[in-house]
Amino acid sequence: MTLYSCCLILLLFTWNTAAYGPNQRAQKKGDIILGGLFPIHFGVAAKDQDLKSRPESVECIRYNFRGFRWLQAMIFAIEEINSSPTLLPNMTLGYRIFDTCNTVSKALEATLSFVAQNKIDSLNLDEFCNCSEHIPSTIAVVGATGSGISTAVANLLGLFYIPQVSYASSSRLLSNKNQFKSFLRTIPNDEHQATAMADIIEYFRWNWVGTIAADDDYGRPGIEKFREEAEERDICIDFSELISQYSDEEEIQQVVEVIQNSTARVIVVFSSGPDLEPLIKEIVRRNITGKIWLASEAWASSSLIAMPEFFRVIGSTIGFALKAGQIPGFREFLQKVHPKKSTNNGFAKEFWEETFNCYLPDGSKNSPASTSFHKGHEEGLGAGNGTAAFRPPCTGDENITSVETPYMDYTHLRISYNVYLAVYSIAHALQDIYTCTPGKGLFTNGSCADIKKVEAWQVLKHLRHLNFTNNMGEQVDFDEFGDLVGNYSIINWHLSPEDGSVVFEEVGHYNVYAKKGERLFINENKILWSGFSKEVPFSNCSRDCLPGTRKGIIEGEPTCCFECVDCPDGEYSDETDASACDKCPEDYWSNENHTSCIPKQIEFLSWTEPFGIALTLFAVLGIFLTSFVLGVFTKFRNTPIVKATNRELSYLLLFSLLCCFSSSLFFIGEPQNWTCRLRQPAFGISFVLCISCILVKTNRVLLVFEAKIPTSLHRKWWGLNLQFLLVFLCTFVQIVICVIWLYTAPPSSYRNHELEDEIIFITCHEGSLMALGFLIGYTCLLAAICFFFAFKSRKLPENFNEAKFITFSMLIFFIVWISFIPAYASTYGKFVSAVEVIAILAASFGLLACIFFNKVYIILFKPSRNTIEEVRCSTAAHAFKVAARATLRRSNVSRKRSNSLGGSTGSTPSSSISSKSNHEDPFPLPASAERQRQQQRGCKQKVSFGISFGSGTVTLSLSFEEPQKNAMANRNAKRRNSLEAQNSDDSLMRHRALLPLQ
């Protein structure tokens, strides 16, 4: 059975050797063998396998100069290590390198060669097989290029734990260690690149893009990650297409139609150069320009695409490139390549023929009739050129530096440096095995592997724990996913003015180590759009929404397609393409354009506005008029009219009116806490004091006139002290209401934002509307009582009591405050204070005018009426009218009683009341006294009343003279008074009680 297995594996290995003849590999013996997989060709020739004969290996076509340079980088690194005295001394590294032809099938053929050799060594068949040409096992593989190829290779190598270190496979799927156990790489995975692409789109404020991806394990995961990043940044994708270098023409045409009809100008492409080339050629044929191409690192510097004849279509390309490295001596090594000198490199002959477009006579496949080759490359991928015509023979003396090919483009060593780094990573892992100290190893019980019998899985173990410093001074260590974290350079395609070739200008970089938001740097001044323009192209579904507007969703359209909606009042947007408008702070409002917030207009009843000035002038006028009246009353304080109006209460009444007019000023100006707490109590107490004075005055006169016998008790009861006491008590109730109000719910200044959006009304928050109602209600209650007494006193003597005027003033007071309630409830803002000021001023002017203006007029302009005679005459007339009515009522009562007692019937009694002036005097005075009376300047009046009943007549008469007359006149007056009928005694007593002669 063992012999059978040996023969089977030898057969497999022999088949692989036949498929890869000497000219199809680079091979060198050594103590330890490293495998290599490089795309020396871009593809294989299409061939129909009809299976009528034994299938042959497909032919690789389209030579890749950069692929050969990468191969050279591996050979250079191995030779450099072999010549190093410190790294793996006394050990020689060999290599076996195969061409993958950029296809999975060819890569697997080469991988089977590595696996088969390892399997033969594991079987230990030396006793059965005499293998003089025995090649040691391949303990590690460098490669492959494409992620799809590496995926297939990794699945196979992982079965045998053969470490694979890729230099160009960046698919994030390969980070899955459960599936790809032995895969490592010296290139960052595409996750960072996809994020960087989304960051670039966001940087240029694009939101409407298309995506194209290679239909393999490189393109699909990369574009999927980009979609995730785009969604987070509100970037919309108009179309998403998959391509392949093996797509038929119809599929390519369909993708081009989509690109041509799309409104998206930015196209994100995750693909390799060979996969993208057919699409670009068709786009060039149709001359579809104006697109911005965002390139992944696999084609960002591909010479298959970066060709001058394509530049008019893809001249706006921005791409990612790996960080370039430095390989000292590599340039000279590249120049030394020669078919005769490079005996270990079976690809050197074909390279020489493709470089100089000639053929070497000893090469059977490079005959003059050989198949033509085409030139191209891909950042690492380049193609050769050739024609279908016969090639001349090569002399062998051609100068490699005289021909410009991608092979000699060593200015930016990116993939080449990754190859170099991959070889050194394996070498340092072997060095760790070589220098391992027993007891400190990575294996069981700290054991170490034997460097002379090292196995692949042991190298893999040390690679996972690798940590060394490369030739550029950078730390190299693979993370838990077998990846190296690296940075990207951002390049822009320019057209060289010297030779018209496409050059890659570095315009920025992407640092994956930086914080989010600080990773991307772009120098816009270096970017040329379409090869000449500095203006950033527009690639948005909708035009930018200007500040002051926001994006509005259009139903049925992607979120990037929107309409611009003006921000509502009170909201603003100060940036372009705002997704929502921000609300202004509480004390601010949006300006006219809604681009910023401005302080709200503050309104209150100001001293400086016309309305406030007018109210202030009226309040000052009221204060002035009240002060004037008070001055008049003070100057003429001893005149009869001032005395008759109870001058002490009049002074207090005028003071209260001063307070009323002054309290209105507290309602004007910006409300402060102290003014809010002072104005309502000041208004309420002032008006209560005023109404209390009027109430006491009116009620005193009314009670005295209505009293039957004004005794000394009445005079004592209605003394001045008691009057002030009553005023104080009425006012004290209002003071108590105000104190309780201020203690429980004090008013305060309030900034009202709710009445109008653009205005802040500074008003007073009354604290308690109930307290305000009690304050005004109590004032109105006193006013109602005062009105009642004033109405009853309206027929008292005009010159003595202003009852009619008080009645009218109370009517004005009620009209004002009844009108105030609905006006106060229906207004807002500063007009609330204005309404109350108007009410206070109207009520105060009403009281001042009705009560005092008539008296001031008499005092100043009718002094003849400001005499004691005028006061006495009007008072006496009223007194005798009252007495006559009282006598008549009593007489009628007595008559009815007598008639009922006597049972007699008489004629219906008739009565008449007559009043005579001083034309007849029933009691004539002496002549001397009469002359003296006529010479007096004062008023003398005689009043007589005659009351007749059916059986008799009673006549009453009364006369007054100035008390300052001579004693004779006084005696005559007393004599006349003593003769008055007894029926008039009550009225005389009232008269004496009211005479202001003290």
Side-chain angles (χ1 to χ4, degrees), residues 804-826:
K804 291 182 179 179
F805 294 106
I806 292 176
T807 303
F808 186 65
S809 67
M810 290 298 103
L811 285 176
I812 294 175
F813 185 87
F814 277 116
I815 291 172
V816 168
W817 290 106
I818 290 174
S819 302
F820 164 77
I821 295 174
Y824 185 86
S826 60

Side-chain angles (χ1 to χ4, degrees), residues 716-774:
K716 183 178 180 181
W717 179 253
W718 287 104
L720 188 61
N721 292 334
L722 185 58
Q723 294 174 35
F724 280 111
L725 178 61
L726 292 176
V727 171
F728 170 75
L729 291 177
C730 292
T731 307
F732 182 74
V733 175
Q734 187 76 307
I735 293 174
V736 171
I737 293 174
C738 294
V739 170
I740 295 174
W741 181 8
L742 293 177
Y743 181 77
T744 57
S748 60
S749 177
Y750 172 64
R751 300 170 72 91
N752 194 329
H753 300 81
E754 300 175 357
L755 298 177
E756 290 189 18
D757 294 330
E758 302 179 18
I759 301 174
I760 298 176
F761 290 99
I762 302 182
T763 59
C764 285
H765 186 273
E766 302 301 348
S768 172
L769 291 177
M770 182 181 294
L772 179 62
F774 275 117

Side-chain angles (χ1 to χ4, degrees), residues 475-692:
Q475 200 71 20
V476 177
D477 59 333
F478 297 101
D479 61 18
E480 57 181 327
F481 305 108
D483 299 335
L484 289 183
V485 180
N487 299 325
Y488 292 98
S489 297
I490 300 173
I491 59 175
N492 180 222
W493 289 12
H494 291 185
L495 202 60
S496 174
E498 299 175 357
D499 56 4
S501 62
V502 178
V503 295
F504 310 119
E505 181 70 23
E506 186 170 337
V507 296
H509 60 264
Y510 188 82
N511 185 3
V512 298
Y513 297 101
K515 295 187 298 184
K516 190 174 182 180
E518 300 178 0
R519 297 173 181 174
L520 180 66
F521 169 77
I522 292 180
N523 187 351
E524 292 190 52
N525 296 326
K526 291 185 177 182
I527 299 178
L528 293 179
W529 304 101
S530 299
F532 61 88
S533 176
K534 288 286 187 180
E535 183 180 357
V536 178
F538 179 82
S539 184
N540 296 57
C541 184
S542 301
R543 285 287 172 182
D544 294 343
C545 288
L546 299 177
T549 62
R550 64 170 178 85
K551 295 187 291 186
I553 298 174
I554 301 176
E555 188 175 355
E557 295 290 338
T559 56
C560 299
C561 301
F562 50 82
E563 58 183 352
C564 296
V565 181
D566 291 335
C567 291
D569 292 337
E571 297 183 7
Y572 75 101
S573 67
D574 56 358
E575 59 183 13
T576 304
D577 274 351
S579 57
C581 298
D582 298 322
K583 286 188 176 182
C584 291
E586 188 177 25
D587 292 343
Y588 289 81
W589 193 249
S590 55
N591 60 1
E592 184 177 356
N593 297 326
H594 299 277
T595 56
S596 63
C597 291
I598 57 177
K600 287 184 178 180
Q601 180 182 349
I602 296 178
E603 283 201 3
F604 52 86
L605 190 58
S606 173
W607 299 99
T608 57
E609 64 176 292
F611 197 29
I613 294 174
L615 293 177
T616 303
L617 291 177
F618 275 107
V620 172
L621 177 63
I623 294 172
F624 172 76
L625 293 177
T626 306
S627 301
F628 176 76
V629 172
L630 182 59
V632 170
F633 267 55
T634 302
K635 183 176 181 180
F636 297 94
R637 60 185 175 277
N638 293 321
T639 59
I641 281 196
V642 176
K643 288 183 176 182
T645 56
N646 196 338
R647 60 187 174 189
E648 287 78 8
L649 280 180
S650 295
Y651 293 154
L652 187 58
L653 176 59
L654 288 170
F655 171 75
S656 66
L657 286 175
L658 280 175
C659 294
C660 289
F661 283 114
S662 301
S663 68
S664 66
L665 298 177
F666 290 114
F667 292 84
I668 304 174
E670 181 177 354
Q672 304 290 338
N673 286 336
W674 69 272
T675 57
C676 291
R677 293 169 185 171
L678 183 61
R679 65 181 191 174
Q680 296 291 8
F683 142 71
I685 294 173
S686 300
F687 265 93
V688 165
L689 179 61
C690 178
I691 301 299
S692 300

Side-chain angles (χ1 to χ4, degrees), residues 408-529:
M408 293 300 296
D409 183 12
Y410 45 79
T411 54
H412 299 287
L413 299 177
R414 295 185 172 93
I415 299 296
S416 299
Y417 184 76
N418 285 351
V419 174
Y420 181 81
L421 190 60
V423 175
Y424 265 88
S425 298
I426 298 172
H428 277 279
L430 293 172
Q431 177 70 14
D432 291 343
I433 295 174
Y434 182 79
T435 59
C436 177
T437 303
K440 297 182 180 180
L442 299 177
F443 304 102
T444 306
N445 299 323
S447 61
C448 298
D450 185 359
I451 190 63
K452 294 182 180 181
K453 297 181 180 180
V454 65
E455 297 183 36
W457 65 271
Q458 295 172 327
V459 178
L460 177 61
K461 177 69 173 178
H462 277 271
L463 278 172
R464 290 177 178 178
H465 295 81
L466 184 66
N467 191 335
F468 73 99
T469 303
N470 62 15
N471 66 321
M472 297 180 63
E474 298 173 345
Q475 200 71 20
V476 177
D477 59 333
F478 297 101
D479 61 18
E480 57 181 327
F481 305 108
D483 299 335
L484 289 183
V485 180
N487 299 325
Y488 292 98
S489 297
I490 300 173
I491 59 175
N492 180 222
W493 289 12
H494 291 185
L495 202 60
S496 174
E498 299 175 357
D499 56 4
S501 62
V502 178
V503 295
F504 310 119
E505 181 70 23
E506 186 170 337
V507 296
H509 60 264
Y510 188 82
N511 185 3
V512 298
Y513 297 101
K515 295 187 298 184
K516 190 174 182 180
E518 300 178 0
R519 297 173 181 174
L520 180 66
F521 169 77
I522 292 180
N523 187 351
E524 292 190 52
N525 296 326
K526 291 185 177 182
I527 299 178
L528 293 179
W529 304 101

